[in-house]
Amino acid sequence: MKKYFDKKETWTKKERRLKQDFHLSQMVQLGYRKSMSLKKIFDAQKIKPTRIKSLGDLEILAVTSREKLVEMEMQKVPYAGLENSSAYIDRIFTSPGPVYEPHLSESDYLWARAFFAAGIGPSDIALNAFSYHLVAAGLTFHNGLRKVGATVIPSGTSSSQIQVQLIKDLKVTAYVGTPSFLMSIINKAKEMGFNFKKDFRLTKACFAAEPLLPALRQTFEKEYGIDTYQMYGATEVGDVAYECSQKNGWHICEETIVEIVDPATGKNVSAGELGEVVVTRLNEIFFLLRFGTGDLSRLIIEKCPCGRTSYRLAGIAGRVGDAVKVRGLFLTPSQLRMISVEFNNLPLQAIVNRQGHEDILKLRLEKIMPEIGSSKWEQNFKNTFREICTVKIDQIEYVNAGIIGPQEKMLVDQRQW
Ligand SMILES: [Zn+2]
């Protein structure tokens, strides 16, 4: 147990800052010496590598989006010149673009913390249903599973029928893959005449690459007795965060520095505010500083009841391009969907407008039940809304059931700029 729930995960704030700042400055200085492109970036801005001493100093560098990285790689094939020119590279993966990624060493902890937090260990037989073909997912999840001692079946993208056969014959206990694929495996098992809960031993699932919707999570857990965990990362930077048994936020891997920034300025937002997840992976091979994931999230800095002190991400609230800013705070369609689900799939629509210099947020809600609109109900709704979206509602308009069509946008920005 001690091996993966290690000192790093229980660092004090001061320890975390000191160790990460030290590694960051080492990485930047090494990168400046070994990567042509990083040297160019620093020289063009007349920044000395010794200027980056701590996390706060990163703000002087621009955020690099996935699109920007593709562009840089097209100009300089294969790694945009961001690699360590004298490092030994274990593996090279690709992601759409194409982008080529010289990968972290096979001895790296990648994903092991996530699997450990999900309770996976030597007694598990894990089905790894992520693709092993060119992309990073299959092999990196495989390595993480091996690091915690689990036996791995590299089933990859085999058909759901084959996956069912493997789960049955090899007495699989854990699934690693996307939630939607697990659902199709369960459906296929039903079709083949099995009772998934009674006939099989699969009781744990670790998901990545797709959002896990609360309703689907509930189905897995309640109907099929599968304990579910979410993991979050990107090929460009590796594992970023993972859920623990509390399932209340994702612990950030201590090998990465995560900033939550305003995508328009690249500056860090105030604590607890929604912003873009920007990741710098501390390593000696690929010097990608401030990678902009395009995902929106919030930081939770309070200690988790599980004992880990690492900071957490409050899930992913949407993509930068889909978000609308209301009084300086982001609002996203996926947050609205969460609220709708919370209130029995209540059809709703948020409209942002402007009166004078003020943003006005109006919510249109369908009266699908008689209690909707009572002051008690409204207060409860407003509280939940504030919890999930941080921003306050200014007006509520109740409309008859069936008025807000399913094809209508959930979030409408009517402001004229
Ligand atoms: Zn925790």
Side-chain angles (χ1 to χ4, degrees):
M1 150 130 187
K2 289 278 179 286
K3 199 168 172 198
Y4 293 101
F5 190 94
D6 69 4
K7 266 194 266 164
K8 279 185 178 174
E9 291 178 301
T10 51
W11 274 343
T12 62
K13 278 186 186 172
K14 195 177 165 193
E15 276 176 306
R16 177 170 300 110
R17 211 190 59 224
L18 287 175
K19 306 231 171 153
Q20 291 195 337
D21 285 353
F22 174 73
H23 282 131
L24 177 66
S25 67
Q26 295 281 94
M27 176 181 165
V28 171
Q29 287 176 44
L30 180 68
Y32 186 81
R33 288 200 307 277
K34 299 288 185 183
S35 145
M36 237 173 7
S37 297
L38 198 70
K39 184 176 185 319
K40 254 194 208 158
I41 292 168
F42 274 72
D43 290 351
Q45 289 189 65
K46 297 196 171 50
I47 302 169
K48 285 215 165 84
T50 47
R51 169 78 177 73
I52 309 288
K53 290 194 183 72
S54 70
L55 194 152
D57 298 328
L58 277 173
E59 277 190 357
I60 59 172
L61 300 168
V63 170
T64 302
S65 64
R66 187 164 280 130
E67 295 71 32
K68 174 76 185 162
L69 186 62
V70 170
E71 199 188 301
M72 285 166 72
E73 289 221 1
M74 274 162 67
Q75 280 165 13
K76 191 146 184 45
V77 180
Y79 314 118
L82 288 170
E83 79 281 14
N84 181 339
S85 55
S86 49
Y88 174 77
I89 293 170
D90 286 352
R91 309 175 285 202
I92 302 164
F93 296 118
T94 76
S95 47
V99 172
Y100 298 105
E101 281 112 10
H103 226 258
L104 299 159
S105 147
E106 279 166 23
S107 59
D108 195 271
Y109 270 36
L110 268 177
W111 301 113
R113 288 183 197 288
F115 292 130
F116 181 76
I120 293 178
S123 58
D124 280 298
I125 297 174
L127 189 77
N128 183 11
F130 274 115
S131 174
Y132 280 71
H133 182 71
L134 286 176
V135 298
L139 275 174
T140 47
F141 287 120
H142 184 112
N143 265 16
L145 285 164
R146 289 297 305 125
K147 283 270 187 304
V148 295
T151 302
V152 193
I153 306 161
S155 62
T157 51
S158 311
S159 72
S160 45
Q161 185 161 353
I162 292 173
Q163 309 272 6
V164 172
Q165 196 73 39
L166 294 167
I167 291 171
K168 174 180 159 283
D169 293 348
L170 300 173
K171 299 187 172 50
V172 166
T173 58
Y175 165 91
V176 178
T178 62
S180 58
F181 194 39
L182 180 56
M183 204 61 228
S184 39
I185 292 171
I186 291 175
N187 289 335
K188 178 55 78 178
K190 255 189 234 165
E191 234 180 85
M192 291 161 74
F194 294 110
N195 178 325
F196 201 88
K197 200 171 171 180
K198 284 199 183 133
D199 297 339
F200 303 149
R201 293 191 188 169
L202 200 153
T203 54
K204 295 168 204 167
C206 294
F207 300 126
E210 260 179 21
L212 174 61
L213 300 176
L216 190 56
R217 171 168 240 174
Q218 205 163 352
T219 306
F220 286 137
E221 302 211 339
K222 297 267 161 9
E223 244 175 81
Y224 299 104
I226 303 169
D227 198 12
T228 62
Y229 292 85
Q230 300 180 79
M231 310 184 287
Y232 173 66
T235 311
E236 295 84 348
V237 287
D239 54 354
V240 175
Y242 56 89
E243 254 179 343
C244 66
S245 56
Q246 299 292 316
K247 303 186 185 181
N248 182 19
W250 309 343
H251 286 280
I252 294 172
C253 301
E254 303 286 29
E255 291 79 9
T256 66
I257 289 179
V258 170
E259 298 171 87
I260 303 292
V261 313
D262 181 332
T265 63
K267 304 278 184 227
N268 281 262
V269 298
S270 309
E273 256 183 43
L274 202 64
E276 184 182 5
V277 179
V278 169
V279 182
T280 302
R281 178 148 198 126
L282 301 167
N283 78 98
E284 298 170 353
I285 295 169
F286 193 47
F287 304 105
L288 176 58
L289 301 171
R290 304 197 89 203
F291 174 67
T293 60
D295 293 323
L296 292 167
S297 187
R298 288 184 295 118
L299 213 54
I300 304 171
I301 59 171
E302 289 79 25
K303 193 177 153 182
C304 179
C306 78
R308 291 173 180 84
T309 59
S310 46
Y311 294 168
R312 281 169 288 163
L313 287 177
I316 298 302
R319 296 284 299 165
V320 169
D322 303 329
V324 164
K325 247 185 170 183
V326 184
R327 291 188 290 271
L329 297 168
F330 283 110
L331 185 62
T332 68
S334 39
Q335 287 175 314
L336 296 171
R337 264 191 294 280
M338 264 171 83
I339 291 164
S340 166
V341 169
E342 199 70 20
F343 289 87
N344 295 316
N345 294 317
L346 174 71
L348 57 82
Q349 187 173 48
I351 299 168
V352 189
N353 229 315
R354 221 164 158 78
Q355 269 174 21
H357 295 289
E358 274 286 295
D359 289 334
I360 303 290
L361 175 62
K362 183 169 95 173
L363 261 279
R364 293 177 79 214
L365 308 174
E366 279 192 10
K367 268 179 88 70
I368 51 168
M369 282 178 299
E371 70 264 32
I372 294 180
S374 72
S375 57
K376 192 176 157 207
W377 186 93
E378 187 171 300
Q379 200 49 51
N380 181 29
F381 181 83
K382 281 182 170 171
N383 291 345
T384 309
F385 190 90
R386 187 123 201 214
E387 245 167 59
I388 296 177
C389 303
T390 17
V391 58
K392 201 175 115 262
I393 303 171
D394 300 299
Q395 299 164 3
I396 293 183
E397 181 193 343
Y398 294 99
V399 298
N400 290 335
I403 293 282
I404 305 170
Q407 74 291 346
E408 277 194 63
K409 276 182 148 184
M410 267 189 141
L411 179 55
V412 184
D413 189 357
Q414 291 182 338
R415 290 169 296 185
Q416 312 274 336
W417 299 100

